[in-house]
Amino acid sequence: MFQLPVPVLDANAGSGASAFGKLPEWNLDDLYTGEDAPELKRDLDWLEEACRSFAEDYEGKLAELDANELLDCVLRNEKINQIAGRIMSYAGLRYYQLTTDSGRAKFMSDAQEKITNFTTPLVFFTLELNRLEDDHLANLLSQKADLARYKPVFDRIRAMKDYQLSDEMEKFLHDLGVVGDAWERLFDETIAGLEFEVNDEPLNIEGVLNLLTDPSRDLREAAARELADVFQANIRTFARVHNTQAKEKEVIDRWRGMPTPQTGRHLSNHVEPEVVEALRDAVVNAYPKLSHRYYELKRKWLGLDTMQVWDRNAPLPMEDPKTVSWEQAEKTVMDAYNAFDPRMGEIAAPFFTEGWIDAGVKPGKAPGAFAHPTVTDVHPYVMLNYLGKPRDVMTLAHELGHGVHQVLAAGQGEMLSSTPLTLAETASVFGEMLTFRKMLDGAKTNAERKVLLAGKVEDMINTVVRQIAFYDFECKLHDARRGGELTPDDINALWMSVQGESLGPAFEFMEGYETFWAYIPHFVHSPFYVYAYAFGDGLVNALYAVYEEGEPGFEDKYFDMLKAGGSKHHKELLAPFGLDASDPAFWDKGLSMISGFIDELEAMED
């Protein structure tokens, strides 16, 4: 199956002009110039024939190939991946620009069905590859360096060897994938179509979520209660989607013999379960010194006896509510990137000038933000919903970091460029940290420094504490679904079981907050994705500490790390920096950076 990366939250579209200046919009011509572009028809025709001839030439014969023949087979498979990825990138990006447009939805769905049908005959490739004897494959790889470079791909494919079904069953599941995609689309279109009204103003979900950061506590409360009301009105749909997706996963996992619901994610992330558990335990154990401690400080700053959920992302009383123009946001991020290394700025610059960013908030546009790598012979595209908040500047830095990473990794080719989710956040979080440090260095007053530090701590808590709480919620959800259908109240209770523990005693939870699991796309699109954010943040915090210590040649090592794409395991990538994610102390090193910022904030209180 060829699918888009999951949006982070992540044409007919309206103008990009706004109060923040002229906002850029995508120009997708580098993929295709339109639905009726002759190049698109050419590629679809080529793909259908390429898949047919690939199966004809290789099915049942992989064990007989010599090293040269296996390399040719791999290269043909890679080309098929590239053309299919290009088509789906175009279809998906147009859809995310305007998810409420039925024509775009149909075009994407039709493209997905065609590609699924074309590529079904290719299912044999991974199945037969997994049936090769270890010694036989090792011998072939030793004969040809161009083939040996694909060993990481073979390793990832063969990690599924013990969970592989019969050829016929694998083809059936491949074809059935479009049904799961339909449930994801139902979720996306339901979210994009939700209508909210706060103080008589109609809003989409992005607009009402933005109000949760408004200086007015009354407005934040109104937004939170409106979210709760609308989620409750649609809760049966969201519960049906989650029940169906979790049940589908349980059935497939059971047939494959996977020991836990998380196993598939760990395998695709190329990370050991014990490393994830070490991360999870380190974060949960740190809740009291991270989120609990910070939110107690924030409660005092806000002058409240108890915080409500609508206070969690409230601006601080001393915060300047001015918005940041797009021009200033671009300059801030580009200055930070260039100060680290001009090569980074050079890679980032075309995103702003060549139509590689879609920044405006528009009706029907998908919420959140993401960077889509498309295919290695084009370039990434970044989607934002820019509203001029300081955090939006950080989001720009984050997604641009993804874009830089994807550009650098493209040299690995289609099958080796894609990084596991655990490493995919490296450049994005590092880009955020560079931008934050640049802004912190430029702070003119203690109050300004305090606001910047607090904002960064909140972002890190959202990235680490919140995502691990999300992970725990998902673990509980999938375990519970194995025991039968879950009612909305069942899911609500699971959600609330992790909220108090992660946020701490400073909070009360309004009636209705129990439904706030409903809008988070990762639970539907990509189960257990969320721990990758905490993994990435912890990794980058440890990496940045090495940078601050003045590691010789850090910049070159960092670029080499990004250029490696998915060609190396996390142990190999971190070794040049003297780091090891399998060491439990590694995560404490990363978490200590967050607690250090909180120490500084507490010291400002004296």
Side-chain angles (χ1 to χ4, degrees):
M1 288 286 291
F2 299 89
Q3 295 177 303
L4 286 168
V6 180
V8 171
L9 208 128
D10 250 350
N12 264 342
S15 167
S18 77
F20 320 115
K22 175 69 176 170
L23 297 179
E25 295 182 350
W26 280 335
N27 177 355
L28 301 179
D29 288 356
D30 289 342
L31 292 166
Y32 299 103
T33 55
E35 289 184 17
D36 56 355
E39 295 83 0
L40 179 57
K41 183 181 186 309
R42 175 202 68 198
D43 284 354
L44 280 165
D45 291 344
W46 179 91
L47 187 65
E48 183 175 21
E49 171 56 24
C51 292
R52 186 202 61 76
S53 62
F54 184 90
E56 185 178 284
D57 292 346
Y58 294 115
E59 187 166 12
K61 303 170 188 173
L62 246 60
E64 303 164 13
L65 302 181
D66 63 24
N68 287 320
E69 290 166 337
L70 182 58
L71 176 60
D72 288 342
C73 174
V74 168
L75 293 175
R76 283 175 63 178
N77 182 71
E78 188 166 43
K79 180 67 173 177
I80 287 169
N81 272 277
Q82 187 173 68
I83 298 300
R86 187 187 195 112
I87 294 166
M88 283 314 302
S89 293
Y90 177 70
L93 291 173
R94 284 185 75 252
Y95 170 71
Y96 282 127
Q97 275 186 307
L98 196 59
T99 61
T100 51
D101 183 271
S102 58
R104 295 186 185 211
K106 173 178 166 51
F107 178 74
M108 185 176 78
S109 181
D110 288 349
Q112 181 74 78
E113 284 193 26
K114 285 178 183 175
I115 288 174
T116 298
N117 292 336
F118 295 166
T119 57
T120 296
L122 273 59
V123 171
F124 79 89
F125 176 68
T126 56
L127 305 181
E128 290 191 28
L129 191 66
N130 282 349
R131 286 198 286 266
L132 297 180
E133 294 294 333
D134 291 344
D135 290 348
H136 175 68
L137 182 59
N139 182 46
L140 293 177
L141 297 180
S142 70
Q143 295 176 33
K144 197 163 189 66
D146 287 350
L147 180 63
R149 70 181 295 270
Y150 288 96
K151 184 179 183 298
V153 176
F154 297 146
D155 287 345
R156 282 197 285 273
I157 292 171
R158 287 166 73 82
M160 285 292 293
K161 187 175 181 179
D162 293 340
Y163 310 109
Q164 187 167 292
L165 300 174
S166 69
D167 292 13
E168 188 175 36
M169 277 297 296
E170 292 289 353
K171 288 180 180 178
F172 170 74
L173 290 175
H174 179 87
D175 280 352
L176 197 65
V178 294
V179 179
D181 293 343
W183 284 96
E184 292 174 20
R185 271 186 51 208
L186 172 63
F187 172 84
D188 289 340
E189 290 167 14
T190 302
I191 286 289
L194 292 179
E195 295 178 355
F196 303 86
E197 189 174 292
V198 179
N199 292 352
D200 298 323
E201 182 182 358
L203 297 165
N204 64 6
I205 192 167
E206 199 69 35
V208 74
L209 287 170
N210 182 58
L211 292 181
L212 295 178
T213 64
D214 195 90
S216 166
R217 192 170 192 234
D218 288 344
L219 190 54
R220 296 198 306 272
E221 178 179 355
R225 295 197 183 281
E226 177 69 358
L227 283 165
D229 289 347
V230 174
F231 291 157
Q232 182 59 45
N234 292 273
I235 202 67
R236 292 179 64 175
T237 299
F238 291 124
R240 170 59 46 225
V241 170
H242 282 68
N243 268 288
T244 304
Q245 292 290 78
K247 182 60 180 177
E248 179 189 45
K249 181 171 178 15
E250 185 271 324
V251 170
I252 294 172
D253 284 353
R254 175 159 39 86
W255 275 76
R256 291 195 182 284
M258 289 192 170
T260 73
Q262 299 85 1
T263 299
R265 175 62 58 205
H266 298 336
L267 289 170
S268 68
N269 283 345
H270 207 42
V271 64
E272 301 76 13
E274 57 270 21
V275 172
V276 178
E277 284 310 298
L279 162 65
R280 182 261 171 204
D281 291 346
V283 174
V284 171
N285 291 336
Y287 284 169
K289 70 176 184 181
L290 300 179
S291 47
H292 296 189
R293 190 161 59 116
Y294 173 74
Y295 288 129
E296 180 58 25
L297 273 176
K298 185 165 187 175
R299 182 190 66 75
K300 292 176 184 174
W301 295 334
L302 294 175
L304 300 172
D305 293 329
T306 306
M307 287 175 70
Q308 292 286 350
V309 293
W310 55 79
D311 299 314
R312 186 170 62 82
N313 290 320
L316 301 186
M318 68 291 289
E319 190 168 333
D320 185 344
K322 70 180 180 185
T323 56
V324 183
S325 71
W326 177 256
E327 183 181 5
Q328 183 57 43
E330 176 182 345
K331 183 179 188 309
T332 299
V333 175
M334 287 298 291
D335 284 353
Y337 276 31
N338 279 310
F340 171 72
D341 193 302
R343 290 173 291 178
M344 187 176 281
E346 188 178 336
I347 295 166
F351 283 84
F352 294 97
T353 59
E354 302 300 320
W356 300 0
I357 298 176
D358 196 298
V361 177
K362 292 164 277 193
K365 182 178 173 181
F370 63 79
H372 188 327
T374 71
V375 286
T376 55
D377 62 345
V378 186
H379 54 76
Y381 282 91
V382 163
M383 193 191 84
L384 306 170
N385 278 275
Y386 190 80
L387 288 162
K389 304 275 187 183
R391 281 194 177 114
D392 292 340
V393 180
M394 290 300 190
T395 301
L396 171 61
H398 181 102
E399 299 306 337
L400 202 60
H402 277 307
V404 168
H405 194 173
Q406 291 158 0
V407 168
L408 286 167
Q412 293 288 344
E414 213 62 47
M415 293 172 74
L416 282 163
S417 62
S418 179
T419 55
L421 292 176
T422 41
L423 298 171
E425 295 299 323
T426 304
S428 54
V429 179
F430 196 85
E432 272 191 84
M433 185 61 80
L434 290 172
T435 304
F436 165 70
R437 293 289 189 177
K438 189 77 174 173
M439 294 169 74
L440 195 65
D441 289 345
K444 296 179 178 62
T445 64
N446 270 346
E448 189 178 347
R449 184 177 181 84
K450 185 174 184 177
V451 167
L452 284 169
L453 274 170
K456 185 59 178 171
V457 168
E458 290 195 18
D459 287 343
M460 294 168 104
I461 286 173
N462 285 336
T463 304
V464 178
V465 171
R466 289 284 283 169
Q467 302 304 326
I468 289 300
F470 286 176
Y471 175 66
D472 279 354
F473 164 72
E474 283 192 278
C475 291
K476 292 182 176 188
L477 176 77
H478 285 265
D479 283 344
R481 183 63 182 89
R482 291 184 172 206
E485 178 87 6
L486 301 175
T487 67
D489 285 346
D490 292 333
I491 304 177
N492 292 348
L494 295 174
W495 173 254
M496 293 308 296
S497 73
V498 302
Q499 293 303 305
E501 179 190 20
S502 62
L503 295 179
F507 280 93
E508 279 184 359
F509 298 98
M510 70 170 191
E511 186 176 346
Y513 182 66
E514 65 273 9
T515 63
F516 275 46
W517 53 269
Y519 77 96
I520 298 169
H522 304 80
F523 299 158
V524 175
H525 282 275
S526 195
F528 307 110
Y529 180 115
V530 289
Y531 75 73
Y533 289 115
F535 193 110
D537 198 271
L539 186 154
V540 168
N541 289 345
L543 199 62
Y544 200 88
V546 174
Y547 171 56
E548 282 191 313
E549 290 161 6
E551 172 79 8
F554 181 92
E555 290 82 357
D556 287 339
K557 291 178 186 177
Y558 179 73
F559 275 94
D560 287 343
M561 182 185 194
L562 301 189
K563 287 175 184 175
S567 68
K568 292 182 179 179
H569 186 267
H570 61 78
K571 270 187 175 292
E572 293 177 85
L573 288 173
L574 291 173
F577 304 96
L579 299 171
D580 181 0
S582 63
D583 178 359
F586 171 84
W587 301 113
D588 292 329
K589 184 182 182 74
L591 295 172
S592 68
M593 180 175 284
I594 308 176
S595 60
F597 287 157
I598 301 173
D599 290 343
E600 187 173 344
L601 286 169
E602 285 183 335
M604 289 180 175
E605 298 297 286
D606 299 337

